Amino acid sequence: MNHAAIAISDETGSLVCANDHFTNAFPGLKAPLDLGFDHANHALLDAVTRTAWRDGSANIAAIVIQGRSYSIQVDRAGLSDAYLLWQLEEIEESDIESAAIAMITGHIGRVLSNNGVMAVAVNADGRVCAANATFALRASGTDRDTILGRLFSDFVQMDEQGSVYFEREGLGGLPIRLLQVPLDAENAKSTFLILAVDEEGTRVDRGLALTHVEQLLSTLPLGLALVDRNGRFLFANKAFARVLDVELHKLSPYPADLVISEDKGAVLDSIRRYGSGSMTSGDLAIRLKERPDEVIALSIAGVRGLGDAAVLLGLKDDSEEIALKRQVAQQTKMESIGQLAGGVAHDFNNILTAIIGYCDLMLMRHKPGDSDYDDIQQIKNNSNRAASLTRQLLAFSRQQTLRPQVLQLANVVADVSSLLKRLLGETVLLEVHHGHGIGAVRADPGQLEQVIINLGLNARDAMPKGGVVHIRTAAVSQREVTAMGRDFLPIDDYVQLSVEDNGVGIPKENLSKIFEPFFTTKELGKGTGLGLSTVYGIVKQSGGFIFADSQPEKGTRFDIFLPVHRGDTPVADIGKRELYKQREFWGSGRILIVEDEDMVRAVTEQALLRQGYEVETANDGAQALEMFATGKRYDLVVSDVVMPNLDGPSMARRLRETYGEIRLLFISGYAEEQLRETISLDNVAFLAKPFSVRQIAEAVHDAIAKVD
C-alpha cells in the first residue's frame, strides 16, 4: 500500500486529489478514467466504475496502462459515499515482459489476429495477462477483457493422442498447435508468450470431413453454401437455391454473379477477407439480380479444416416473410389507389351530374325526330356510360352505395346462371356445383351478381378456343381456415365462392396487379381494366376476402370468402322484384339547394323549378345559415355533403339545433354507407351523384312527402 498510486474522483469522474505516487506515475493530473486506455480497456474501466458505485467496491486483477501492468481496487468513500477511492498497484515485471504485453494488446497483436494467429501472455501463476482478439474469440466467444486473470488451462483440453483443442469447441473442434515462447530464459517462472494456430496436417481426413459437412448442410432448412478462397461455389444446398429462386443445377459458379453490379465488389471483398483471415463471421446487405428491389442479408463466416472450403455463406429462407411483406405492400397500394379512385370518381360525378341534367332539360324541349334529339340522346347515353365507369371506380374504392340483404349465395348464383350462360357463348361450358350446409351471408344481391358476371366474362376471355368455367359454393369452417394458412384471412366461418377456368392463365409478374383499376392485358379497345377492380371493391365492401391463383397455360381460380351471417334476420327472397312504375313528381314547396359546384347547383335548380317548386340556392353551408338567420324558411334543404368552409352535416346539425326538425336530402358523389357515419343524423334522405332530372325530382318529392 505504501507504493500504491492513490486517487479520488467525484460522481462526474473528475480528479479530486491524488498522492505523489499517482502524480509521478501519471503526470498531468489526469483522472483514472483519462489515463489513455484503448477502447476495450476503457470499457472495462467504465464497467468497474459502475460496479463500485452500485456495490461499494470493485477490482481488476490486471490491466495495462501506458505499457505497465497494474491491479486496481475501487471503493466508495466520503461521508455520504459521494467519491471513489482508486488504488493502483503496479505488477512487478521486467521491461521485456511489459513490452510483450503491450505488443499483444497493441498493433502487432491486431496484425497477428488479422492473419489468424492467436497470441496470449501467461504469467508465472498460469493466468492470462493479455490476449489478442482472435484468441479471446476462440477461447471464450467474447472479447478479451473477460479472460484476463483466468487460468490458461481453463481454455484448452487435450485428447488421448495429445492433440490440443479449445475447451468451448470440444474434441469435435479443430485441433490447435501451441508454441510457448519464454520471455526470460534465465527465469523459468517468468511470464511467457503462447502463440496458437490451427493444426495443419492433422489426422482428420479433410475430404471425408467435407463430405459429411455437405451431407449435413443438405438436410438443414437454412440456405447454406461453401465457397473457396477464389469465390467459387463448392457446394450449395436446396434451401440456398430456393431462396435465390433458381434451380440448384443452374446456380451460377460465383456468388458475385447472383447480385446486382453495385454489390459485386462488396461480396468478393468479403469472401476474400473471411476466407484468408480469422474464423469470424458477419452479415452483408445485398440485392439479388433477379429481385433488385429487395434487400436481403448474406451471412458470411470463415471456416477451417475443410480442404478448399474457406467460407460458409448463409441466406435465410424467408420466402414466407417476403410474401407477407409483398401482400402488405400490395394491400397498402390498393388502399392508396382506392382513395385516389374514389376522389376522381367523386369529382367526375359532379361533372356528369351537370351533363346528364342538362341533357334531360334539353330533351324536354325536343321531340323524337327533331334534328337535335338524337344528338342529345347520344350525349346522354355516353354520359351514362361514363357514370357506369365511375360506379366501377367507387366499387373498387369501396365507396359505392350498397343495399345489403341476408341471402343464400347459392340463390344468387342460380339467378345469374342463365344470363351468364348466354354471355359465355357456345364454346364455353358453365358448370355449377353447390356444397352442403352453407350458411347465409349479408351482401347486396345485385352487386354479387356483378361479381359473378365479371369473373365469368374474364374466364371466357381467357379461353379464346373454348373451355369450361366452374362455379362452386362451399361452407368453410374455422378449422379449415386455419389449415389453409392464408395470412390475410381471419379465423371465422365463411361461405366460399370459387370461379375457375382452364384458360391461358395469368403470368406471375401480373398476378399482383390484376385488381388495380385500368390494368389490363387485353388488346386496346377490348377492356377497360375495371372488371376485376370492381370485383375487388364489392367483395371488400361486403366484408369478404378474395384470392387469385393462376398457372400459365393451366388456368386461373378466384376464391371469394364471405363471412357467415349470424342473426335472426330472415333470408331475403331475391327472386321477387317489383317492376318500375311510371310516376309523376309535380309538387309545390320551398326548396333550398346548398351546393358548392356551380354547374351542379344550376342544373338542380332548373330541374326543380320545372317540377313546380320554389327554389333558392346557397354556395355553402355558411351562406345557408345566413339565409335562415334572415327569417327564410324552407320545406326541404337539398345539400351536398362535402363542401368548403362548412360541410353539409355540420350545417344540418346547426339548423336542427336552432330551427327544429328540418327535412334534409343529401346529395353526394360518395357512397351513402361511407357518409352515414359522417352525417350521423336521423331522418335524412340520400341521393347519389350523378343523377338525372327525374331522379332528383323523385327524391325531392319523396323527401317532402315523408311523414316524420
Side-chain angles (χ1 to χ4, degrees):
M1 182 67 68
N2 293 334
H3 301 287
I6 299 176
I8 296 177
S9 63
D10 60 15
E11 293 178 340
T12 65
S14 301
L15 182 66
V16 176
C17 62
N19 68 358
D20 292 339
H21 291 296
F22 187 93
T23 55
N24 291 334
F26 310 108
L29 296 178
K30 295 180 179 180
L33 291 176
D34 300 328
L35 295 180
F37 300 103
D38 61 19
H39 178 74
N41 283 335
H42 197 283
L44 177 61
L45 262 293
D46 283 340
V48 168
T49 302
R50 289 192 298 271
T51 302
W53 281 117
R54 185 187 68 233
D55 301 334
S57 66
N59 66 80
I60 300 175
I63 190 171
V64 177
I65 306 175
Q66 299 179 6
R68 297 193 296 272
S69 295
Y70 289 85
S71 64
I72 299 179
Q73 177 68 36
V74 187
D75 298 283
R76 292 185 67 172
L79 294 178
S80 58
D81 288 341
Y83 300 93
L84 289 182
L85 174 64
W86 297 77
Q87 302 177 55
L88 290 78
E89 285 274 355
E90 184 174 4
I91 301 173
E92 295 294 334
E93 291 181 312
S94 65
D95 292 339
I96 190 171
E97 292 169 347
S98 299
I101 294 174
M103 175 187 68
I104 292 175
T105 58
H107 175 71
I108 294 178
R110 289 192 293 272
V111 172
L112 292 173
S113 285
N114 293 337
N115 288 275
V117 178
M118 296 165 279
V120 58
V122 180
N123 65 17
D125 296 329
R127 297 185 181 276
V128 175
C129 299
N132 66 358
T134 303
F135 180 87
L137 183 64
R138 289 284 299 276
S140 66
T142 58
D143 57 52
R144 59 191 176 194
D145 296 327
T146 62
I147 67 173
L148 294 179
R150 295 179 57 184
L151 291 172
F152 176 78
S153 58
D154 291 342
F155 301 109
V156 294
Q157 62 173 312
M158 185 180 296
D159 66 6
E160 296 178 354
Q161 286 75 33
S163 297
V164 179
Y165 300 84
F166 278 109
E167 182 70 33
R168 65 182 296 266
E169 295 179 354
L171 298 180
L174 290 177
I176 56 175
R177 175 179 296 178
L178 300 180
L179 176 63
Q180 181 174 332
V181 181
L183 298 180
D184 188 348
E186 298 180 358
N187 185 3
K189 295 184 178 181
S190 69
T191 299
F192 56 91
L193 182 67
I194 295 179
L195 301 179
V197 294
D198 289 331
E199 180 71 58
E200 297 293 339
T202 132
R203 293 178 295 277
V204 178
D205 187 335
R206 301 298 175 89
L208 182 61
L210 180 59
T211 301
H212 289 319
V213 169
E214 290 180 357
Q215 291 176 350
L216 174 63
L217 297 184
S218 64
T219 62
L220 295 176
L222 305 174
L224 299 170
L226 291 171
V227 180
D228 64 18
R229 287 178 174 82
N230 296 321
R232 179 187 289 271
F233 277 119
L234 297 175
F235 167 81
N237 64 5
K238 293 181 179 179
F240 191 89
R242 185 168 58 249
V243 176
L244 299 173
D245 200 18
V246 298
E247 296 181 19
L248 189 59
H249 67 278
K250 294 183 179 180
L251 193 65
S252 171
Y254 295 93
D257 294 337
L258 302 171
V259 302
I260 63 174
S261 56
E262 291 88 343
D263 293 345
K264 283 187 176 181
V267 172
L268 289 172
D269 180 67
S270 297
I271 290 176
R272 283 194 295 266
R273 185 170 68 254
Y274 287 97
S276 59
S278 58
M279 292 178 60
T280 55
S281 61
D283 290 336
L284 181 67
I286 61 171
R287 289 162 294 176
L288 298 177
K289 186 185 299 182
E290 301 300 326
R291 302 197 298 268
D293 296 332
E294 296 178 10
V295 178
I296 63 174
L298 174 67
S299 297
I300 308 178
V303 296
R304 299 292 181 271
L306 295 179
D308 294 333
V311 175
L312 176 68
L313 301 182
L315 284 175
K316 181 182 178 184
D317 187 5
D318 53 359
S319 55
E320 293 185 2
E321 181 180 346
I322 291 175
L324 183 60
K325 288 181 178 179
R326 286 176 179 170
Q327 290 177 0
V328 172
Q330 179 69 9
Q331 186 76 9
T332 303
K333 181 173 71 172
M334 296 292 277
E335 293 288 344
S336 300
I337 295 176
Q339 292 179 2
L340 175 62
V344 170
H346 170 264
D347 293 341
F348 198 44
N349 277 337
N350 280 329
I351 299 173
L352 291 175
T353 299
I355 296 174
I356 294 172
Y358 280 117
C359 284
D360 284 341
L361 294 174
M362 293 175 67
L363 288 173
M364 291 178 183
R365 299 194 297 268
H366 293 76
K367 297 180 180 180
D370 290 352
S371 58
D372 295 331
Y373 184 89
D374 291 339
D375 294 336
I376 299 171
Q377 189 65 51
Q378 189 65 32
I379 294 172
K380 182 178 180 181
N381 291 340
N382 283 293
S383 298
N384 286 328
R385 288 183 59 195
S388 175
L389 292 179
T390 64
R391 282 193 294 272
Q392 289 179 298
L393 284 175
L394 288 172
F396 166 73
S397 59
R398 287 167 270 171
Q399 297 174 7
Q400 64 174 341
T401 299
L402 296 182
R403 295 290 181 262
Q405 302 177 29
V406 178
L407 48 84
Q408 286 290 343
L409 188 57
N411 295 341
V412 178
V413 175
D415 286 347
V416 79
S417 293
S418 57
L419 172 62
L420 186 57
K421 286 180 181 179
R422 293 194 296 271
L423 294 174
L424 293 179
E426 297 179 356
T427 60
V428 177
L429 178 65
L430 176 65
E431 292 186 357
V432 179
H433 304 278
H434 296 299
H436 300 288
I438 299 177
V441 298
R442 186 175 183 274
D444 186 323
Q447 296 298 328
L448 283 185
E449 290 179 358
Q450 185 68 42
V451 166
I452 297 169
I453 290 174
N454 284 4
L455 292 178
L457 294 181
N458 258 41
R460 178 200 65 186
D461 295 340
M463 299 181 292
K465 297 181 180 180
V468 181
V469 175
H470 299 274
I471 297 180
R472 298 180 178 87
T473 59
V476 181
S477 66
Q478 296 184 22
R479 181 182 299 177
E480 292 171 317
V481 172
T482 304
M484 290 179 187
R486 292 188 180 270
D487 298 303
F488 283 90
L489 187 61
I491 305 301
D492 202 349
D493 294 321
Y494 293 94
V495 176
Q496 179 179 357
L497 170 66
S498 300
V499 179
E500 185 176 5
D501 64 67
N502 56 354
V504 297
I506 302 172
K508 183 178 179 180
E509 62 272 14
N510 291 338
L511 197 58
S512 63
K513 305 176 184 178
I514 57 175
F515 294 122
E516 297 177 10
F518 304 114
F519 176 81
T520 179
T521 56
K522 298 176 182 178
E523 298 178 9
L524 185 64
K526 292 191 176 181
T528 62
L530 288 173
L532 289 179
S533 65
T534 301
V535 169
Y536 175 88
I538 293 172
V539 171
K540 288 294 183 179
Q541 195 172 355
S542 302
F545 302 86
I546 182 169
F547 301 94
D549 294 303
S550 183
Q551 295 185 19
E553 306 306 327
K554 292 186 179 180
T556 303
R557 174 185 175 122
F558 289 91
D559 290 314
I560 296 171
F561 297 88
L562 296 174
V564 173
H565 175 73
R566 295 179 176 88
D568 299 329
T569 307
V571 176
D573 186 357
I574 60 174
K576 298 178 180 179
R577 302 184 182 179
E578 295 184 0
L579 296 175
Y580 178 78
K581 297 180 180 180
Q582 191 74 13
R583 299 167 59 191
E584 293 294 336
F585 301 111
W586 292 99
S588 61
R590 289 174 54 80
I591 309 295
L592 175 62
I593 300 173
V594 187
E595 169 64 63
D596 62 305
E597 288 285 346
D598 295 340
M599 51 188 175
V600 177
R601 186 175 62 251
V603 73
T604 306
E605 179 183 13
Q606 290 191 41
L608 295 180
L609 285 173
R610 283 182 170 272
Q611 299 302 126
Y613 296 102
E614 183 180 346
V615 182
E616 292 190 23
T617 63
N619 296 331
D620 55 32
Q623 186 178 2
L625 292 178
E626 292 175 0
M627 296 173 69
F628 268 85
T630 61
K632 295 183 177 181
R633 297 293 181 269
Y634 304 93
D635 298 295
L636 178 68
V637 176
V638 180
S639 174
D640 192 9
V641 176
V642 180
M643 293 183 293
N645 300 326
L646 185 64
D647 59 52
S650 298
M651 173 205 68
R653 279 189 286 270
R654 295 188 189 182
L655 287 176
R656 285 188 170 179
E657 290 172 1
T658 307
Y659 305 105
E661 192 66 23
I662 294 175
R663 290 187 176 90
L664 294 166
L665 169 61
F666 283 114
I667 56 176
S668 178
Y670 291 110
E672 180 178 359
E673 281 77 12
Q674 182 191 18
L675 296 174
R676 280 292 178 185
E677 295 181 2
T678 304
I679 295 172
S680 65
L681 291 169
D682 296 329
N683 196 23
V684 296
F686 182 85
L687 177 63
K689 299 176 183 176
F691 49 76
S692 64
V693 168
R694 184 171 192 84
Q695 287 172 327
I696 184 64
E698 179 180 0
V700 168
H701 179 275
D702 292 345
I704 291 180
K706 183 178 179 181
V707 178
D708 297 338

